Amino acid sequence: QIGKALNVLTMKILENARPLVCFSALVHVCRAMLRDRPGQLQRQMELAVKCLLRVTKTGLRGFDVSLVLKDIHDFLEAHPPRTSPEDDRSSHDLVLRSLQRVLTELVQIYGEDIHCHMAHVPVERNPLVF
């Protein structure tokens, strides 16, 4: 009963809070979980990702795209995609897939104009492209 009540409360908070603030906070929570306890918080990571997708499900048009891109950039700098098969990547991959989905939606909405929203993302001379 308590778990269900907490889930309902969490959803109500997400529905009534500012989406950009929730998005940013959830990305930072995922980043902290992967940094502090990698591979140990699978259930909590799944919950954070569900909340992240719920926040973006309402639509990304009202978001400050440059701040969303900055949050995603900061996450990817802290936790770049790994290629080593022995890594425990389940939590990491879950967040990466979710952020990829957000990026795909942004590109669908803004097209090539997405480049105009890169003000907060540092530009590297030799970027690593996957």
Side-chain angles (χ1 to χ4, degrees):
Q1 290 287 10
I2 292 175
K4 187 175 180 178
L6 286 173
N7 287 342
V8 170
L9 178 64
T10 302
M11 288 301 127
K12 291 294 180 187
I13 290 171
L14 289 176
E15 290 169 4
N16 293 312
R18 294 187 353 224
L20 180 60
V21 174
C22 286
F23 178 86
S24 185
L26 289 165
V27 170
H28 288 287
V29 165
C30 291
R31 192 172 149 187
M33 281 193 274
L34 285 173
R35 179 190 63 229
D36 297 338
R37 298 163 92 189
Q40 295 179 6
L41 300 172
Q42 181 67 24
R43 179 103 171 103
Q44 290 86 345
M45 184 66 73
E46 289 173 7
L47 179 61
V49 168
K50 284 181 185 178
C51 291
L52 184 72
L53 294 175
R54 178 72 175 241
V55 167
T56 59
K57 189 176 185 179
T58 60
L60 294 167
R61 289 197 186 274
F63 282 36
D64 182 346
V65 178
S66 60
L67 294 177
V68 170
L69 293 174
K70 173 71 169 125
D71 286 335
I72 293 172
H73 172 79
D74 290 344
F75 178 87
L76 291 174
E77 271 197 334
H79 303 286
R82 296 176 279 199
T83 57
S84 176
E86 65 270 0
D87 289 332
D88 176 24
R89 301 178 347 184
S90 56
S91 297
H92 186 262
D93 286 349
L94 182 65
V95 179
L96 284 177
R97 284 193 309 269
S98 302
L99 294 178
Q100 179 183 8
R101 181 175 169 188
V102 171
L103 285 172
T104 300
E105 289 180 35
L106 286 172
V107 170
Q108 287 175 349
I109 293 169
Y110 295 98
E112 288 190 26
D113 292 338
I114 194 88
H115 294 291
C116 298
H117 299 281
M118 301 282 287
H120 295 293
V121 177
V123 178
E124 293 185 27
R125 288 201 163 138
N126 297 317
L128 181 59
V129 179
F130 294 99

